[in-house]
């Protein structure tokens, strides 16, 4: 299982935030037999994302993307994923109910901008996020797996442990511990 990690966020490149996600992912994935072959960090930039997605999908079996799934205007990763895979965003009513419940349980106002968290690429399977509002995105295309997750570490870690690793182990028949 050849894996490429893509980290998206201007804050990672300017030193505002340390990219702990890549090292954590590398450790977790190597334990299930994955070969982490490339890691790329890019700006919140459409052209850079498309280029990184294309390169990664050409050389890896699994592409794991972190960052850019929030409700703010610079979080447009889902739109670029749709452009790359030639699909569209659809509103998932189950996710919308989960997002509304997230705010309700915390006694926080549900803003219109949060509705967009329920929009996912039509060809994807959503990955639950028990610690935030942005679901992960799982896409299988031409025998490869593309996963996009929030960049917030505790949200991403939950998804990896509860959804991504179990699915990868099943998809690639990988149960062994593996260290180089």
């Amino acid at each position: 299982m050849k894996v490429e990690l893509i980290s998206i966020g201007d804050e990672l490149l300017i030193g505002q935030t340390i990219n702990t996600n890549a090292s954590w992912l590398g450790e977790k994935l190597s334990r299930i037999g994955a070969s982490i072959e490339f890691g790329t960090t890019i700006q919140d930039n459409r052209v850079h994302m498309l280029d990184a997605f294309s390169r990664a999908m050409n050389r890896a079996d699994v592409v794991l993307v972190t960052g850019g799934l929030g409700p703010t205007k610079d979080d447009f990763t889902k739109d670029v994923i749709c452009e790359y895979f030639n699909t569209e965003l659809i509103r998932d009513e189950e996710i919308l109910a989960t997002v509304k419940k997230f705010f309700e349980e915390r006694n926080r106002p549900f803003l219109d901008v949060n509705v967009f968290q329920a929009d996912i690429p039509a060809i994807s399977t959503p990955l639950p996020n028990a610690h935030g509002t942005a679901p992960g995105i799982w896409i299988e295309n031409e025998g490869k797996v593309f996963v996009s997750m929030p960049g917030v570490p505790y949200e991403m870690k939950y998804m990896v442990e509860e959804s991504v690793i179990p699915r990868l182990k099943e998809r690639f028949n990988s149960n062994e511990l593996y260290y180089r």
Side-chain angles (χ1 to χ4, degrees):
M1 178 182 4
K2 295 179 185 176
V3 177
E4 179 153 353
L5 307 175
I6 300 174
S7 304
I8 299 173
D10 296 345
E11 68 279 6
L12 301 172
L13 293 169
I14 64 171
Q16 183 179 10
T17 301
I18 295 172
N19 186 0
T20 59
N21 289 351
S23 62
W24 186 87
L25 282 166
E27 178 190 349
K28 289 293 181 183
L29 293 166
S30 67
R31 289 178 178 227
I32 64 163
S35 174
I36 317 306
E37 301 202 350
F38 294 94
T40 304
T41 304
I42 57 173
Q43 294 177 313
D44 292 296
N45 176 290
R46 180 186 151 277
V47 173
H48 295 170
M49 286 184 211
L50 289 170
D51 180 59
F53 296 168
S54 180
R55 287 174 191 262
M57 290 295 285
N58 283 324
R59 62 188 178 197
D61 303 310
V62 177
V63 176
L64 299 179
V65 179
T66 58
L69 294 183
T72 60
K73 66 181 181 177
D74 70 333
D75 291 320
F76 52 88
T77 300
K78 289 188 293 190
D79 295 318
V80 179
I81 290 169
C82 285
E83 182 177 350
Y84 179 78
F85 287 104
N86 194 28
T87 190
E88 62 186 359
L89 289 174
I90 58 167
R91 178 131 323 136
D92 185 303
E93 294 301 323
E94 204 172 305
I95 295 171
L96 183 57
T98 300
V99 173
K100 285 181 178 179
K101 184 179 176 185
F102 181 89
F103 283 92
E104 188 177 287
E105 288 174 345
R106 288 156 181 80
N107 222 10
R108 293 172 51 200
F110 180 79
L111 305 174
D112 288 342
V113 70
N114 293 306
V115 170
F116 299 112
Q117 295 295 75
D119 295 346
I120 61 169
I123 63 168
S124 70
T125 301
L127 300 175
N129 183 352
H131 299 292
T133 59
I137 297 166
W138 177 283
I139 296 172
E140 292 195 31
N141 183 270
E142 298 181 6
K144 300 191 177 201
V145 174
F146 181 97
V147 180
S148 184
M149 299 169 286
V152 178
Y154 64 89
E155 293 181 39
M156 180 274 304
K157 288 176 181 180
Y158 171 82
M159 278 184 203
V160 168
E161 291 177 335
E162 298 298 318
S163 297
V164 176
I165 285 180
R167 287 173 184 242
L168 289 175
K169 286 168 82 172
E170 183 179 318
R171 172 84 165 60
F172 291 94
N173 298 316
S174 179
N175 289 311
E176 73 279 357
L177 289 175
Y178 175 80
Y179 290 100
R180 290 181 198 243

